[in-house]
Amino acid sequence: MISARPDPCTAMAPARPRILAQIVLAVNALCVVPVAAAQDQPPPEAPSRAIDYDVRIDAPRQLRDLLENNLDLMRWRGNPRLDMEQLLRLVRTTPEQIKTLVATEGYYTPKVSADLDTSGAKPRALVDVEPGEPVVVGDVDIELRGFVPFDKGSAPIDAAALRNRWTLPVGARFRTADWEAAKRGLVRQVAQSRFPRAQLLDSSATVDPDTHRALLKVVIDSGPDARFGGLKIEGLQRYPASVITNLNTIRPGDEYNEAVLQALQGRLQDTGYFASVEVSADMSSVIASQVRDLKENEGATPQPPSGPATLPATLPVLVRVTENKRKNVALGVGFSTNTGARTQAEYDDLNVFGKRMKSNVLYEQKHQAAKAEFYLPTTTGGYNNSFGAGYDRLDANGQITRTTSIHAKRAWGSPLLEKTLTLEALTEQVTIDDLPTTRVKSVPLTFSITRRKLDSLVQPSRGYIVNAQVGGAFLPVLTDEKFVRVYTRGLVYKPVGESGTLIMRGEFGAVGSKDKNGVPSTFLFRAGGDQSVRGYGYQQLGVPVGSAITGGRYLLTGSAEYDYWFKPPWGAAVFYDVGNAGDNFHDLKPKVGYGVGARWRSPVGPINVDVAYGKAVHKVRLHFSLGFTF
């Protein structure tokens, strides 16, 4: 039986048959036996003749990499001060060093041999390793000390859930790195909520080489619980404190929770007022108290704090910010197969009559737009209110649409569950061929909700995202035609094997009104393009009018794509898209597009290049997109 503890770094003695030996296992995976460690120092006397040699290691690949990176026999190659006598000593000590190293990977009964072949022109060290059966975890004993309600009404720690999140379960191969990571992770989980001063009191791993089982024991002490205190702000100069205080939902007396601090930090970063934000619990008062206790109890045996024996700590919430420049200008260029080459200019002023202003001018070959929006400071209820105006011109498939609008918007929630309510007043002009220009005015109200559950908001590979919208123009005020509109879209990412991802997309939309002609075309539906049905031009699928394609009352599309990452971040894709838009359900005859593509997970987001065949038009089309859009 072998007992492993995390403190010292010593050598492992070989186990004798039926004799139980107690040893201390190395914490560091690179720990070596004392003889090998002594090799790290230069020889006391310069050798009479330096020697060059080769090394051949015959071992499983994962162990061969470990040995090549850490064996002294490898590290001393090419050293001009090494002579034959020292080389022989290295070869003799190599088996014991290998046993220590492979034990960190869970192999405690290896067969190891090391010889020096001097028959050739250059000496060659021959190392052979048969790791044997790996040691697996046989039992895990997690002892929790403290972890009881401190105040009436407080909930106890969920011990069962804590044990279920242990990352080195029964049956797993016992590796030193995994063992250390599991202990750190357990303490981290406890410290993230309510017990920031939790600590690891003791841990041991008892390994039986005969049965190839490891018995693990961990003792965690909660320490005193903690509660939040007041808010402390550092670094604020140009902007009012309400920019921060209105976003703070943490109240004095709330139980400590690291996730709450991270959420506040994220909300502050999203405001745009700050170049950097750091939100943490101010531990200075606790540290000062611990220093005083140490001085008062100097010479006494220290005892770890445990549960109700210690009063809860009050930790102020510390917010450190670095303010952004008040005015910022950004220029950009780009290209899209939907709307062509693009130039863009943005101007951002963080204090225009006490409000943040963001303005944007966009020029694309088929699309031009200009807008300005003013953002009010976030309210104490977490609402982000804004208002603005804009102009938009789109030339797509024979229809030229010019839209002028003013709007007011309220947004709330989080990036995982986002909600918006938008009220617009717009006028629209539509020109098709030589037909008279039509003009429409409307005041629609739209509610939108987006649910995200993804492993990454920039480069997702697992999870889903769903958006639903409902709205319309309900009153005959500055409105030519009353209408109701619903729209929903969903996107699902599902891993397939170790290197594949299945992406499925679908959308549906419908507009109800007495007369379609009075409904703004921006609220009707067209399909086709990079983010719709590939193989067709941007908004090429819809209702034909003259030589143009106009929007329809209904939309239905779907897509299935398989991405294979043969050499991350590089991948290839195959896809099948189907869908259409029309004024009636029976007009939604599916248009099919399919093809292949190349993928690159760039630092700024995924870059997709697709070659798609539009079956209905018998044409091949190239599609290019940058970033994850929804």
Side-chain angles (χ1 to χ4, degrees):
M1 195 76 70
I2 298 172
S3 176
R5 290 183 180 272
D7 298 327
C9 188
T10 60
M12 181 184 71
R16 299 177 180 177
R18 300 181 183 179
I19 296 178
L20 301 182
Q22 296 295 320
I23 70 163
V24 179
L25 178 66
V27 175
N28 190 332
L30 306 182
C31 182
V32 297
V33 295
V35 174
Q39 300 286 340
D40 290 336
Q41 303 300 325
E45 297 181 1
S48 58
R49 181 181 178 186
I51 189 168
D52 188 20
Y53 64 95
D54 291 329
V55 179
R56 190 195 71 188
I57 300 177
D58 187 6
R61 182 175 179 180
Q62 71 274 19
L63 295 181
R64 186 166 64 250
D65 293 342
L66 172 70
L67 300 178
E68 288 178 350
N69 292 331
N70 296 284
L71 279 179
D72 289 335
L73 195 60
M74 298 295 296
R75 292 192 290 117
W76 278 94
R77 287 182 63 191
N79 192 299
R81 303 181 64 186
L82 187 75
D83 61 11
M84 178 59 75
E85 181 181 352
Q86 292 164 343
L87 175 58
L88 290 171
R89 192 194 325 166
L90 284 176
V91 172
R92 287 195 301 270
T93 60
T94 291
E96 287 303 315
Q97 188 180 10
I98 289 176
K99 291 178 182 179
T100 300
L101 288 169
V102 300
T104 65
E105 292 296 312
Y107 298 98
Y108 283 77
T109 56
K111 295 180 180 179
V112 183
S113 64
D115 296 302
L116 186 64
D117 181 7
T118 59
S119 61
K122 181 188 295 188
R124 172 178 290 186
L126 305 176
V127 178
D128 185 73
V129 180
E130 294 181 13
E133 184 179 347
V135 169
V136 298
V137 177
D139 188 33
V140 180
D141 180 13
I142 299 178
E143 181 181 341
L144 304 177
R145 298 183 183 177
F147 298 99
V148 295
F150 298 95
D151 295 327
K152 186 177 181 180
S154 296
I157 192 75
D158 191 342
L162 192 64
R163 292 185 174 96
N164 289 337
R165 291 195 294 267
W166 173 256
T167 58
L168 192 61
V170 173
R173 181 155 62 97
F174 178 71
R175 298 176 63 251
T176 300
D178 295 340
W179 166 233
E180 295 301 317
K183 291 185 288 184
R184 289 194 303 268
L186 185 64
V187 176
R188 176 68 173 161
Q189 290 178 42
V190 174
Q192 285 179 334
S193 180
R194 190 175 163 191
F195 303 104
R197 287 184 284 170
Q199 58 183 316
L200 179 68
L201 288 186
D202 191 21
S203 67
S204 64
T206 305
V207 177
D208 189 339
D210 295 330
T211 62
H212 302 284
R213 294 290 184 270
L215 306 180
L216 309 183
K217 182 175 181 179
V218 177
V219 181
I220 300 288
D221 187 273
S222 67
D225 73 337
R227 297 188 178 274
F228 288 121
L231 185 66
K232 297 171 62 176
I233 301 174
E234 295 180 1
L236 200 60
Q237 297 176 353
R238 291 191 295 268
Y239 309 121
S242 59
V243 171
I244 295 176
T245 57
N246 285 355
L247 291 174
N248 178 35
T249 60
I250 304 172
R251 299 292 175 258
D254 289 351
E255 288 184 353
Y256 174 88
N257 190 310
E258 189 171 306
V260 174
L261 297 175
Q262 293 174 347
L264 175 57
Q265 179 170 305
R267 290 195 297 269
L268 293 176
Q269 288 173 331
D270 291 341
T271 63
Y273 284 96
F274 308 112
S276 66
V277 180
E278 179 186 352
V279 179
S280 62
D282 186 0
M283 304 289 289
S284 58
S285 60
V286 175
I287 295 174
S289 176
Q290 292 176 337
V291 171
R292 287 195 301 270
D293 291 343
L294 288 174
K295 291 181 178 179
E296 292 174 0
N297 300 303
E298 189 173 355
T301 302
Q303 298 294 328
S306 180
T310 307
L311 294 175
T314 299
L315 305 177
V317 177
L318 179 59
V319 178
R320 292 189 178 97
V321 298
T322 302
E323 295 178 331
N324 262 330
K325 296 179 180 179
R326 175 182 166 181
K327 300 177 181 180
N328 290 280
V329 177
L331 302 175
V333 296
F335 177 81
S336 167
T337 49
N338 279 344
T339 53
R342 176 177 69 251
T343 60
Q344 186 173 355
E346 297 181 354
Y347 174 71
D348 191 354
D349 193 323
L350 295 175
N351 193 359
V352 178
F353 303 111
K355 301 171 182 62
R356 181 186 183 188
M357 184 193 77
K358 296 181 68 176
S359 58
N360 177 284
V361 177
L362 172 70
Y363 184 87
E364 296 176 298
Q365 290 174 283
K366 298 181 180 180
H367 179 216
Q368 301 83 45
K371 64 179 180 179
E373 191 154 10
F374 294 85
Y375 296 84
L376 283 68
T378 303
T379 68
T380 54
Y383 294 107
N384 297 291
N385 299 320
S386 63
F387 61 90
Y391 172 80
D392 190 278
R393 181 186 183 275
L394 176 65
D395 183 354
N397 291 287
Q399 175 178 305
I400 300 176
T401 306
R402 301 176 180 88
T403 305
T404 304
S405 66
I406 59 174
H407 66 269
K409 180 189 294 186
R410 165 166 284 192
W412 66 100
S414 69
L416 301 181
L417 184 60
E418 183 180 356
K419 304 173 186 177
T420 62
L421 185 65
T422 306
L423 178 65
E424 296 179 84
L426 62 88
T427 60
E428 182 182 85
Q429 299 180 26
V430 177
T431 302
I432 299 174
D433 296 336
D434 295 330
L435 298 175
T437 298
T438 60
R439 293 174 173 81
V440 172
K441 60 181 181 293
S442 185
V443 182
L445 177 68
T446 302
F447 173 74
S448 174
I449 182 170
T450 302
R451 176 75 170 97
R452 298 178 177 90
K453 190 175 182 181
L454 302 167
D455 57 349
S456 170
L457 295 179
V458 178
Q459 303 204 44
S461 61
R462 180 192 300 271
Y464 66 87
I465 179 171
V466 178
N467 171 259
Q469 302 174 18
V470 59
F474 308 107
L475 300 175
V477 178
L478 300 175
T479 298
D480 291 335
E481 181 67 34
K482 294 186 292 182
F483 69 92
V484 176
R485 181 181 187 270
V486 294
Y487 172 80
T488 183
R489 186 184 186 198
L491 192 61
V492 177
Y493 290 83
K494 183 177 178 59
V496 179
E498 295 183 357
S499 304
T501 305
L502 178 65
I503 305 173
M504 303 186 70
R505 182 185 71 238
E507 60 179 343
F508 169 78
V511 170
S513 66
K514 290 183 179 180
D515 188 354
K516 171 189 167 183
N517 292 330
V519 179
S521 65
T522 52
F523 285 82
L524 298 174
F525 303 103
R526 287 187 282 184
D530 303 340
Q531 304 298 322
S532 182
V533 183
R534 286 163 287 190
Y536 301 86
Y538 179 55
Q539 298 192 356
Q540 186 181 356
L541 303 177
V543 179
V545 176
S547 64
I549 301 297
T550 65
R553 291 178 179 268
Y554 300 99
L555 171 73
L556 184 62
T557 70
S559 173
E561 175 177 314
Y562 174 73
D563 293 351
Y564 180 76
W565 303 97
F566 56 88
K567 188 178 180 181
W570 298 96
V574 294
F575 56 86
Y576 186 92
D577 298 345
V578 61
N580 207 345
D583 280 337
N584 300 285
F585 278 111
H586 61 77
D587 292 333
L588 296 178
K589 297 177 181 179
K591 305 296 184 182
V592 174
Y594 50 84
V596 297
R599 301 289 181 264
W600 179 42
R601 288 174 173 165
S602 75
V604 296
I607 293 179
N608 305 329
V609 179
D610 295 320
V611 178
Y613 177 74
K615 188 175 181 180
V617 295
H618 306 290
K619 290 183 179 180
V620 175
R621 182 177 291 271
L622 178 68
H623 296 274
F624 173 83
S625 62
L626 168 63
F628 167 64
T629 58
F630 183 83

